[in-house]
Amino acid sequence: MQGLSLSQFVPGESVLHRLDPRSKVVTVLLLSVAVFTARGPLELGSLSLLCLLLMMASGIRAAYYWRSLRPFLIMIIPTALLQVLLLPGSVCYHWGPLMVSEYGLIMAGAFSLRLIVLILFLRLLTLTTTPNAIIHGCEKMVSPLAKIGLPVSELLTIMNLTLAFVPFFLEEGQRVRLAQTSRGMSLREGSIRRRLESLLALLVPLWRGAFERSTQLAEAMEARGYSAGIRRTSLYQLHWGMMDSSLSLIGMAVLLLEIIH
Amino acid sequence: MAIELDKVSYIYHINTPFASTALHEISLTIFEGETLGITGDIGSGKSTLLQLTGGLIKPSGGRVLKDGRDLARLSKRELSALHRRVGLVFQHPETQIFAYQVFDEIAFGPRNAGLKPAAVTERVKWALRAVGLPDGFQNRHTAALSAGEQRRVAIAGVLASKPAWILLDEPTAGLDGEGISQVMATLSAFGQQPGQTVVMVSHDLRQLLAISDRIVWLKAGKVWLDLRREEIIDHYQILHESAILPEVLNVMHALNEKGWQLDPAALTPSTLATAIAEHLRGEKQPCKD
């Protein structure tokens, strides 16, 4: 149940939703590097503008971006404050012992903006792409490695299944916890022995459930013809179109311009 | 202790594109000592209602009151005290078994309550009897039990804490005929203890008729009908139109149509048979005179 909130995907019909996951992954990687290497206000400013444009193109309400940004503010705001107050330089304001330097302000602003834009770029990917599509895209991109003997497809199947198990674990964990709580389980009170038993009461059913589930899943997969090491095709074919090429080119151009600059 | 749901709504994945309403402004009071059955189609909100009642999930709208106090305003300590008074049997409770030996599994609750070893042993034996398992069963290994036995051990594990309220979600799901009748016999006996409140969710009306003082029908997240046992047969028509009914109700309705006045609470095969027999005896008397 709560597993859904783990994947931040928001269904939609925008250009960004329809793009090939590969181009999105590549572009986000390129742009992230660009954000990290950006130095001047012009570079950071244009990256922020690009980010804003893409956010608008995604057709997703600003509230979703805000929500994903919020937890990071706990880290960003205090760090920025420290930079403003502690970095030396020509003083522009001061209240008693507190001094604000121009340099501090610029550094704090650049730092915060850099992080915020980076987080938003990553969110753009996860908000417009399902986790499965991201994995599928990654699979396609690394599949050439299979030629040198890496079990790419198997590894990605494992990743996929692991993702699929996360919601199960959350839900089952919640259920077991509630059930054992109603039998007086407490991890905080009682003797060490009692607490250990409580821990067992929580972990044993969870493990057992996970093993049972995975055995069932393995049998179901085998029954439907799954076997490791054979070549597989996908039900959903990825389509690399003009838009994908353009987006990746924009990403590359941005990064190149920055390096040259 | 009564639990009152006051215009309670519950929305899964609230504030996300996946939001779906499970319950819509439900108002319902569950009284201490009653055996309440909750039924409805899949997706009608039965399980959600049960979890709200036990204070396990917080409503998206409205209030859940226990003795007039809003559960949302209870402190953590008070809430966990409430959880301890409420015994929970989730669907497929046997997945919660963790101990190697049946004794330790059932003793978990009583031990946590701080009972002395002798009292714990007593409680385990009592709980095993309550679910119809023979003495000596406490020495068995949990992994070596059949599905029905596991289910009953799991229920015994909940009963052993002697919760004032016991909430069960489809307790007979996946059991065979014998398993079902044993679990139902357990619940029936348990519900008759004075002061014991039992709330059972089931899609099987026959099982609910066997034990309930009152049955609530949910439809699309709302209370469709809320009937005391003896009121059910009066609503035969409307029930009949919406579902296939247990034969007991069909027979009683057919006899009522013939002008028989049967005890409206006789909604199990055996009590109905008794009611019919009494009626026949009553009819014969005037003939003799």
Side-chain angles (χ1 to χ4, degrees):
Chain A
M1 289 292 147
Q2 295 145 323
L4 272 176
S5 59
L6 268 184
S7 102
Q8 297 113 353
F9 178 67
V10 177
E13 290 291 320
S14 77
V15 189
L16 291 185
H17 281 90
R18 288 194 304 264
L19 283 171
D20 189 309
R22 285 172 294 183
S23 67
K24 285 191 269 189
V25 171
V26 168
T27 312
V28 164
L29 280 178
L30 290 170
L31 290 177
S32 305
V33 176
V35 170
F36 264 120
T37 50
R39 281 170 203 284
L42 177 71
E43 289 156 359
L44 259 180
S46 37
L47 278 170
S48 313
L49 192 68
L50 179 65
C51 182
L52 213 60
L53 285 175
L54 287 174
M55 276 164 67
M56 280 157 75
S58 74
I60 293 169
R61 285 210 318 266
Y64 284 101
Y65 292 102
W66 169 240
R67 211 181 296 163
S68 52
L69 212 51
R70 219 169 26 192
F72 292 97
L73 292 181
I74 307 167
M75 187 183 78
I76 295 175
I77 292 172
T79 318
L81 269 179
L82 283 180
Q83 281 179 315
V84 166
L85 294 176
L86 296 180
L87 284 178
S90 59
V91 177
C92 40
Y93 304 103
H94 58 89
W95 301 281
L98 294 178
M99 281 188 270
V100 176
S101 70
E102 208 173 305
Y103 178 64
L105 269 181
I106 292 170
M107 286 308 284
F111 161 82
S112 316
L113 197 60
R114 205 191 293 274
L115 264 182
I116 289 171
V117 172
L118 185 71
I119 293 162
L120 289 176
F121 273 139
L122 289 174
R123 277 301 185 261
L124 268 167
L125 174 68
T126 52
L127 280 170
T128 60
T129 326
T130 61
N132 275 341
I134 295 178
I135 290 184
H136 189 188
C138 292
E139 179 177 2
K140 281 281 176 237
M141 282 191 290
V142 297
S143 58
L145 292 178
K147 294 212 175 84
I148 58 165
L150 273 180
V152 171
S153 161
E154 279 67 39
L155 286 176
L156 280 153
T157 306
I158 291 171
M159 255 174 81
N160 241 331
L161 292 178
T162 312
L163 267 190
F165 263 73
V166 171
F168 162 75
F169 254 114
L170 286 175
E171 200 175 316
E172 187 74 2
Q174 172 84 343
R175 239 169 57 107
V176 173
R177 191 177 62 79
L178 290 172
Q180 308 296 38
T181 306
S182 83
R183 293 166 71 192
M185 175 194 79
S186 175
L187 298 172
R188 294 198 193 87
E189 294 160 32
S191 64
I192 304 253
R193 208 191 119 93
R194 290 247 62 76
R195 285 191 228 186
L196 273 178
E197 202 185 15
S198 288
L199 199 60
L200 275 183
L202 205 59
L203 293 181
V204 172
L206 210 54
W207 274 107
R208 211 180 62 154
F211 277 118
E212 255 166 42
R213 269 277 174 117
S214 44
T215 315
Q216 276 172 13
L217 184 66
E219 279 168 10
M221 282 169 70
E222 271 178 2
R224 289 152 72 188
Y226 180 90
S227 85
I230 56 171
R231 223 183 93 77
R232 260 184 299 282
T233 52
S234 298
L235 175 59
Y236 301 103
Q237 292 296 321
L238 300 178
H239 294 289
W240 185 281
M242 274 297 288
M243 283 303 290
D244 297 293
S245 308
S246 332
L247 185 72
S248 313
L249 280 177
I250 290 174
M252 249 180 272
V254 167
L255 188 58
L256 273 176
L257 272 176
E258 228 185 64
I259 294 168
I260 297 165
H261 194 74
Chain B
M1 180 171 96
I3 290 185
E4 191 184 336
L5 284 80
D6 177 25
K7 289 191 179 151
V8 166
S9 299
Y10 194 81
I11 304 169
Y12 282 101
H13 313 307
I14 192 165
N15 292 334
T16 76
F18 307 95
S20 69
T21 305
L23 293 175
H24 187 73
E25 296 192 356
I26 277 199
S27 292
L28 185 71
T29 305
I30 304 170
F31 301 99
E32 182 168 342
E34 77 174 334
T35 298
L36 174 71
I38 299 174
T39 189
D41 295 334
I42 287 171
S44 58
K46 306 186 293 282
S47 299
T48 312
L49 182 61
L50 198 68
Q51 295 183 23
L52 280 165
T53 306
L56 304 177
I57 51 178
K58 289 191 176 123
S60 315
R63 298 178 304 165
V64 181
L65 305 162
K66 176 200 154 216
D67 296 334
R69 293 190 63 198
D70 192 343
L71 287 194
R73 295 185 183 191
L74 293 184
S75 69
K76 251 192 177 156
R77 186 172 284 271
E78 287 172 307
L79 202 61
S80 75
L82 172 74
H83 285 164
R84 283 172 198 217
R85 290 196 59 198
V86 176
L88 265 176
V89 181
F90 278 98
Q91 278 183 46
H92 303 285
E94 60 276 11
T95 55
Q96 287 141 26
I97 290 174
F98 70 95
Y100 184 58
Q101 222 177 22
V102 170
F103 183 90
D104 291 319
E105 180 62 37
I106 300 176
F108 183 62
R111 278 177 183 158
N112 284 332
L115 290 178
K116 296 267 184 301
V120 171
T121 311
E122 248 341 280
R123 204 52 96 69
V124 171
K125 286 186 175 167
W126 170 84
L128 278 174
R129 270 200 306 279
V131 295
L133 289 171
D135 197 32
F137 209 84
Q138 63 267 38
N139 301 322
R140 297 275 295 275
H141 293 162
T142 50
L145 305 179
S146 74
E149 290 167 339
Q150 281 191 355
R151 177 77 53 95
R152 274 183 282 158
V153 166
I155 294 177
V158 176
L159 298 187
S161 300
K162 293 215 169 168
W165 285 58
I166 178 158
L167 313 179
L168 306 109
D169 195 354
E170 300 277 4
T172 58
L175 291 185
D176 61 11
E178 199 191 329
I180 290 175
S181 47
Q182 267 155 347
V183 167
M184 291 313 293
T186 303
L187 294 179
S188 171
F190 205 68
Q192 277 159 19
Q193 294 181 30
Q196 182 68 50
T197 315
V198 177
V199 183
M200 172 171 160
V201 161
S202 176
H203 63 273
D204 188 339
L205 190 54
R206 228 170 4 153
Q207 291 178 11
L208 294 183
L209 286 175
I211 65 166
S212 305
D213 303 320
R214 182 177 145 211
I215 298 181
V216 168
W217 277 262
L218 294 182
K219 208 172 227 180
K222 290 181 178 173
V223 174
W224 178 55
L225 286 172
D226 178 355
L227 301 175
R228 276 180 288 122
R229 186 180 186 82
E230 57 276 12
E231 294 172 331
I232 293 171
I233 196 68
D234 293 337
H235 294 74
Y236 178 83
Q237 278 309 337
I238 185 168
L239 286 170
H240 183 64
E241 279 160 22
S242 82
I244 296 171
L245 294 178
E247 285 305 332
V248 173
L249 289 179
N250 294 333
V251 170
M252 183 181 268
H253 176 73
L255 292 173
N256 280 350
E257 292 280 278
K258 289 185 190 298
W260 291 34
Q261 295 291 319
L262 295 175
D263 174 10
L267 299 178
T268 60
S270 61
T271 50
L272 181 60
T274 311
I276 292 172
E278 268 169 20
H279 180 87
L280 290 174
R281 225 177 286 136
E283 250 186 5
K284 267 183 193 163
Q285 242 116 44
C287 295
K288 270 185 188 170
D289 292 340

